Amino acid sequence: MKEIGGIPVVISRGAPYEIGYSHGKSHPDRVRKSYEYNLKSCLERGDVTKEELVRIAMGFVKPVERYNPDYIEEVQGIADGAGMKFEELMVLNSRTELQKLGWNKLDGGEKNRYQKALGEMEACTSIAVTGERTVDGATYVGQNWDNFVWSEECLIYHIIEQKNGRPSIAYCGEAGIIARSGLNSCGIGDGVNSLSTNAPVNLEGVPLQFLLRGVMDSRDLGEAIDALNGGRNAAVNNILIAQKDNEAVDVEMDSGCCGILYGADGILTHANHYVSPGHPRYPYLDVFKGNSVIRHHRSGKLLRGIYGKISLEDVQKVFSDHGNGPQSICRHRDLSLDRDKQTETVFSFVSNLTTLEMRLAPHNPCEGFLSIKPFDLLRVQLKNHSRDRRNI
């Protein structure tokens, strides 16, 4: 399989550097686009110069090495494979934190950066449903990834087989980053939501993309929570994590600790504001738009309103919902805005963590989902590779 719905499928295997090199070499044009688009966004939203961005991004190298040195080797591999500089790939993999640097410069009484953050926030919706509520007793997890329309030019569907004893991984996301939302071969899956407070970015913390890889490298749910809950995070973000053994938790990351939400009725949803009590911690304030409240509660209401058991198709319908449009769960671009300000649901997915099947909508979820079993593709590629070697 070379693509799914127009999104290139990339298969990488080996040691960390080998995985990175294969990733970068597969679609260097998409890695370059991803860097250039995100660089522009970081400069505008972070309110810093390019020199400052590079300095801060390179400052994250040591915290990441302490977290897991394999990740730095993989980033170096991506850079070499794509013919780019290591510092450029560190900027790309730190883009979430760099876009939030404006809070570090906020002066008392100044409003403009609040308004800028509110106007350009990502607007993702995540959902998990565990086995007591599903038709087949499996656990489902997924999300709508809402972002600027240019990001669709940067996407890859990446499948990774690791030689370091960690699980195989499959995710859809921007070329050049080492992880995004998806699932692993141990039946762990996740969704991610940007949060915003007026708290400064922790320049000695670990950026989100590396924490997401820590979750995806986990073999059980407890290990995945521990990958986040250690005060290591560089900025405020949210990760919903589910496991094939009918468990799901939501981890809201603060600048120094985490709040944990548990879906007691088998349904857990999240958008772009804090829900757990006591977060964000004083003196910082939650900064969000009203549509986040609607998406969070509406997604839960739609799921709980389903009579009987919930299917993968039911979750797909919730991700396709247009209530409160245009700021709906399934977001469509506002053509009245300049293109570089337009946002939409770039892709959507929902995974069955028991069968390791992913349903992927390569555009708006209302346009339909395609089915993929990513770890079957690993076996097919390895079988074909062995056959080719015998024919040499």
Side-chain angles (χ1 to χ4, degrees):
M1 179 181 287
K2 293 184 178 180
E3 63 175 44
I4 179 167
I7 299 174
V9 174
V10 177
I11 297 178
S12 303
R13 47 168 40 101
Y17 181 84
E18 293 172 315
I19 289 168
Y21 190 86
S22 171
H23 175 177
K25 189 175 179 59
S26 65
H27 291 280
D29 55 331
R30 292 198 171 222
V31 178
R32 171 61 65 178
K33 277 187 179 181
S34 185
Y35 165 71
E36 291 175 348
Y37 280 133
N38 277 288
L39 174 64
K40 181 180 178 183
S41 179
C42 290
L43 290 171
E44 291 177 352
R45 297 168 71 183
D47 195 27
V48 290
T49 65
K50 182 177 178 181
E51 291 71 24
E52 287 179 289
L53 277 182
V54 172
R55 177 181 59 79
I56 292 169
M58 292 301 289
F60 288 130
V61 171
K62 287 187 178 179
V64 174
E65 284 180 330
R66 289 192 293 268
Y67 183 65
N68 192 326
D70 285 353
Y71 299 163
I72 294 300
E73 289 186 33
E74 189 167 329
V75 170
Q76 182 68 67
I78 299 170
D80 291 347
M84 294 173 61
K85 298 177 181 177
F86 173 75
E87 64 186 39
E88 293 174 327
L89 269 298
M90 279 303 299
V91 167
L92 177 57
N93 280 277
S94 307
R95 61 97 168 160
T96 302
E97 290 67 32
L98 298 177
Q99 289 169 352
K100 295 181 178 182
L101 284 173
W103 303 117
N104 292 44
K105 294 188 174 184
L106 189 66
D107 297 324
E110 189 179 359
K111 301 288 186 182
N112 64 317
R113 290 192 184 93
Y114 278 101
Q115 298 305 316
K116 190 168 188 178
L118 284 168
E120 297 183 358
M121 282 172 57
E122 296 170 11
C124 306
T125 306
S126 297
I127 292 173
V129 185
T130 51
E132 62 268 32
R133 291 300 310 272
T134 62
V135 294
D136 53 3
T139 299
Y140 310 152
V141 66
Q143 76 165 98
N144 279 6
W145 192 59
D146 298 357
N147 208 333
F148 294 107
V149 298
W150 49 254
S151 59
E152 66 186 18
E153 302 173 28
C154 309
L155 295 180
I156 60 170
Y157 189 91
H158 197 192
I159 307 169
I160 299 172
E161 185 176 62
Q162 306 186 83
K163 285 185 177 178
N164 59 6
R166 290 294 172 178
S168 297
I169 298 168
Y171 67 89
C172 187
E174 301 133 295
I177 62 172
I178 73 164
R180 200 60 194 174
S181 301
L183 76 162
N184 73 18
S185 56
C186 290
I188 295 287
D190 69 345
V192 61
N193 309 83
S194 180
L195 299 177
S196 287
T197 75
N198 59 335
V201 173
N202 176 11
L203 302 182
E204 297 179 356
V206 178
L208 173 65
Q209 313 306 330
F210 300 102
L211 295 173
L212 285 168
R213 182 56 174 272
V215 170
M216 286 289 92
D217 275 351
S218 299
R219 289 160 290 207
D220 59 63
L221 188 57
E223 188 178 352
I225 295 171
D226 289 340
L228 304 176
N229 188 34
R232 305 184 183 99
N233 46 295
V236 295
N237 286 292
N238 182 80
I239 303 179
L240 189 156
I241 315 170
Q243 180 190 43
K244 66 179 181 181
D245 295 335
N246 292 325
E247 294 292 347
V249 297
D250 188 274
V251 183
E252 294 182 338
M253 293 184 288
D254 203 340
S255 57
C257 67
C258 295
I260 308 293
L261 301 168
Y262 187 80
D265 64 350
I267 296 172
L268 194 56
T269 67
H270 208 282
N272 301 99
H273 63 281
Y274 279 95
V275 179
S276 59
H279 286 84
R281 291 176 298 157
Y282 180 83
Y284 302 118
L285 303 173
D286 199 354
V287 181
F288 60 90
K289 295 187 75 171
N291 74 76
S292 176
V293 177
I294 302 302
R295 287 181 288 106
H296 168 67
H297 289 288
R298 184 172 176 84
S299 56
K301 181 175 73 172
L302 291 172
L303 288 168
R304 293 182 177 93
I306 294 171
Y307 178 75
K309 299 292 187 177
I310 297 169
S311 66
L312 276 174
E313 290 76 16
D314 290 326
V315 179
Q316 291 172 198
K317 288 178 182 177
V318 174
F319 280 137
S320 303
D321 179 71
H322 294 126
N324 194 51
Q327 299 185 84
S328 47
I329 296 172
C330 180
R331 180 182 293 254
H332 291 257
R333 63 181 70 182
D334 184 347
L335 298 178
S336 69
L337 300 175
D338 293 338
R339 189 176 186 278
D340 62 353
K341 300 295 183 185
Q342 294 173 10
T343 60
E344 66 180 353
T345 300
V346 179
F347 70 85
S348 175
F349 77 91
V350 56
S351 298
N352 182 321
L353 298 179
T354 301
T355 64
L356 301 181
E357 174 196 6
M358 181 185 285
R359 304 274 184 90
L360 178 70
H363 303 291
N364 284 97
C366 62
E367 297 178 15
F369 287 74
L370 303 170
S371 179
I372 183 171
K373 287 197 170 183
F375 307 121
D376 288 354
L377 294 181
L378 282 175
R379 290 188 285 272
V380 169
Q381 189 204 48
L382 187 60
K383 183 178 180 180
N384 290 340
H385 179 69
S386 298
R387 184 187 303 118
D388 292 341
R389 287 182 63 86
R390 289 196 300 269
N391 292 333
I392 292 176

